[in-house]
Amino acid sequence: MSGFLEELLGEKLVTGGGEEVDVHSLGARGISLLGLYFGCSLSAPCAQLSGSLAAFYGRLRGDAAAGPGAGAGAGPGPGAVAAAEPEPRRRLEIVFVSSDQDQRQWQDFVRDMPWLALPYKEKHRKLKLWNKYRISNIPSLIFLDATTGKVVCRNGLLVIRDDPEGLEFPWGPKPFREVIAGPLLRNNGQSLESSSLEGSHVGVYFSAHWCPPCRSLTRVLVESYRKIKEAGQKFEIIFVSADRSEDSFKQYFSEMPWLAVPYTDEARRSRLNRLYGIQGIPTLIVLDPQGEVITRQGRVEVLNDEDCREFPWHPKPVLELSDSNAVQLNEGPCLVLFVDSEDDGESEAAKQLIQPIAEKIIAKYKAKEEEAPLLFFVAGEDDMTDSLRDYTNLPEAAPLLTILDMSARAKYVMDVEEITPAIVEAFVNDFLAEKLKPEPI
């Protein structure tokens, strides 16, 4: 266990009072679940979460004094021996991963935390964690199995709300058919049992009427749904509402020809959000008939494939950069090969060049049940690509091999006359081994 934890967190963590704690001691204490809390002192929602999380943390660990103000000197903090050993099912530790840019503000914020934190100076490691777990907003709380490193729950905020006593600890993922079990609605009031989904591909659609991008996607999705059904495919969509009132839900749902989880079934809606770690809307998760995830990028796929010819949208190792999928550049490091032609043949040749390397990387991390650390794109010549070059201050050369890390505001550039598979593979491997020197964006 300690080997995985040290690889993830480094050798040292700190308490709210500034004392160093050896990471390998977490393994010695038998921690079974690790929470990573991503936040910032300047965020009011983070400050609000810290209070409720401290109470939650204390209840689960059996630390009577853990709560707001239970930092150094205020009771049994991280690593301290409480009066009674926590129950094995509650062997939990939390580590704060900050995006603060000011050390004094960071110190003031962590001072009252009863859990551990990555040291302020570990900025590179913090950024790696943000990228590894695709954190897009704060506060975020994810739970990992401390032995295997596998993600147990991507939306810990809902755990705190839905299970404040920790009765469902350790909140491992459940099969879709178990989470969705219960009645589903059509907008005419008809009710169907979830068992009616058996044998169908399913789109789980997280959306809300108050969200303009959601309404735009819904209009396109209605047409996609119709085309897929007319083609004889067994496909159903389940609307999971994030509307702020039942009236808004009913108004929005009236535009939809598919099914919905009843608005009044807040527990089931929350469990679905927890199951898929939803961090923003609109999100469309596409499942195979066995309930396994095919893609979390259903939104991008629907917008890129208006005729639904590629349904059910199995992920491609290499994507052609477009207006609709450019948002993925913000999800973590991306390899982008810029080519000098609008000709489809040129782009296709570039995809074929990258694809074997992309497939190898994806397969390696899939075997570990982890997301690949890179996305792979080919970019042709268009206004969007020109804007990307301008924003990242890239040379006009083509072909141009790059890795762009927007969250770190860093780029890695290989400008050579001829790009071969060996060059691409060496570039990727050197990046993953942290041998490349970044340039600022």
Side-chain angles (χ1 to χ4, degrees):
M1 179 196 298
S2 60
F4 153 69
L5 292 175
E6 288 184 359
E7 181 181 350
L8 188 74
L9 303 172
E11 295 182 357
K12 302 285 186 181
L13 298 169
V14 294
T15 67
E19 297 174 4
E20 288 191 341
V21 174
D22 289 332
V23 170
H24 69 74
S25 70
L26 301 184
R29 288 180 12 231
I31 297 300
S32 63
L33 197 70
L34 176 68
L36 296 180
Y37 167 21
F38 296 86
C40 176
S41 66
L42 300 178
S43 163
C46 289
Q48 183 177 6
L49 171 65
S50 291
S52 57
L53 181 57
F56 177 82
Y57 176 83
R59 285 193 296 271
L60 263 69
R61 285 171 50 93
D63 296 348
V81 179
E85 183 70 13
E87 297 177 34
R89 71 182 182 86
R90 294 183 171 186
R91 293 186 186 275
L92 168 72
E93 189 52 87
I94 292 174
V95 175
F96 178 55
V97 184
S98 169
S99 61
D100 281 285
Q101 300 299 311
D102 183 282
Q103 187 166 4
R104 185 176 295 276
Q105 289 174 337
W106 173 82
Q107 287 174 330
D108 289 344
F109 195 52
V110 303
R111 182 174 293 125
D112 290 336
M113 291 181 176
W115 47 78
L116 299 166
L118 275 179
Y120 178 79
K121 65 183 179 182
E122 289 273 21
K123 292 186 177 181
H124 179 64
R125 189 175 297 277
K126 293 174 188 176
L127 189 59
K128 284 179 66 177
L129 289 171
W130 283 67
N131 283 336
K132 180 179 179 69
Y133 297 110
R134 301 282 196 261
I135 302 302
S136 59
N137 50 40
I138 56 172
S140 285
L141 175 65
I142 65 171
F143 291 112
L144 312 177
D145 184 306
T147 302
T148 66
K150 293 178 182 177
V151 176
V152 172
C153 177
R154 290 186 175 275
N155 200 330
L157 304 186
L158 291 178
V159 168
I160 297 170
R161 188 191 75 181
D162 297 346
D163 186 27
E165 302 301 322
L167 301 179
E168 298 177 29
F169 184 93
W171 312 295
K174 297 177 180 178
F176 169 71
R177 64 179 178 276
E178 181 177 334
V179 178
I180 197 63
L184 299 168
L185 299 179
R186 291 206 180 276
N187 61 15
N188 61 3
Q190 180 186 4
S191 178
L192 290 82
E193 281 302 313
S194 58
S195 57
S196 65
L197 300 173
E198 289 182 9
S200 297
H201 287 84
V202 175
V204 189
Y205 184 36
F206 300 86
S207 185
H209 186 263
W210 53 262
C211 163
C214 294
R215 297 197 301 273
S216 297
L217 179 61
T218 296
R219 288 191 287 271
V220 178
L221 190 55
V222 166
E223 288 303 308
S224 298
Y225 178 81
R226 179 183 60 78
K227 290 173 183 175
I228 294 167
K229 292 287 226 181
E230 288 177 353
Q233 299 270 16
K234 293 193 71 175
F235 179 53
E236 194 50 80
I237 294 176
I238 310 298
F239 171 41
V240 184
S241 173
D243 286 295
R244 293 164 178 160
S245 71
E246 189 167 10
D247 286 344
S248 293
F249 162 76
K250 288 178 178 177
Q251 178 185 351
Y252 193 29
F253 186 39
S254 69
E255 305 168 13
M256 302 177 182
W258 45 74
L259 302 170
V261 176
Y263 185 81
T264 53
D265 195 344
E266 185 175 353
R268 189 161 34 144
R269 290 191 288 124
S270 184
R271 287 195 298 270
L272 286 162
N273 273 271
R274 280 168 52 186
L275 179 62
Y276 297 114
I278 303 304
Q279 295 191 40
I281 55 174
T283 295
L284 177 64
I285 310 285
V286 181
L287 310 178
D288 67 17
Q290 289 72 47
E292 299 296 323
V293 174
I294 293 176
T295 180
R296 299 177 59 87
Q297 298 292 340
R299 173 190 184 184
V300 171
E301 299 294 351
V302 165
L303 295 175
N304 271 347
D305 183 25
E306 291 184 4
D307 293 328
C308 305
R309 291 175 182 169
E310 298 181 7
F311 175 83
W313 302 302
H314 288 279
K316 300 183 182 69
V318 183
L319 300 174
E320 189 162 348
L321 193 62
S322 66
D323 287 329
S324 58
N325 65 27
V327 66
Q328 292 178 258
L329 293 172
N330 296 312
E331 293 184 4
C334 298
L335 182 143
V336 184
L337 174 55
F338 292 86
V339 295
D340 62 356
S341 174
E342 297 176 357
D343 179 27
D344 288 342
E346 183 80 15
S347 294
E348 190 58 38
K351 287 183 197 174
Q352 295 302 319
L353 186 149
I354 296 174
Q355 184 156 325
I357 295 97
E359 288 175 341
K360 185 186 295 186
I361 295 294
I362 292 167
K364 176 182 176 181
Y365 283 85
K366 185 176 182 180
K368 299 191 290 184
E369 298 187 29
E370 295 182 12
E371 292 192 41
L374 273 174
L375 299 178
F376 295 83
F377 291 90
V378 167
E381 290 184 341
D382 54 33
D383 290 344
M384 195 276 297
T385 300
D386 290 342
S387 297
L388 178 60
R389 282 186 186 264
D390 290 343
Y391 177 74
T392 54
N393 196 26
L394 288 170
E396 291 298 322
L400 184 68
L401 184 62
T402 69
I403 291 175
L404 305 178
D405 188 345
M406 297 301 193
S407 59
R409 298 190 61 81
K411 63 187 178 187
Y412 306 82
V413 181
M414 178 165 282
D415 185 359
V416 294
E417 288 188 7
E418 182 181 4
I419 295 175
T420 66
I423 286 175
V424 175
E425 186 162 16
F427 186 55
V428 168
N429 289 338
D430 285 348
F431 170 77
L432 296 177
E434 301 184 15
K435 294 180 180 179
L436 301 180
K437 184 178 180 179
E439 301 175 39
I441 290 180

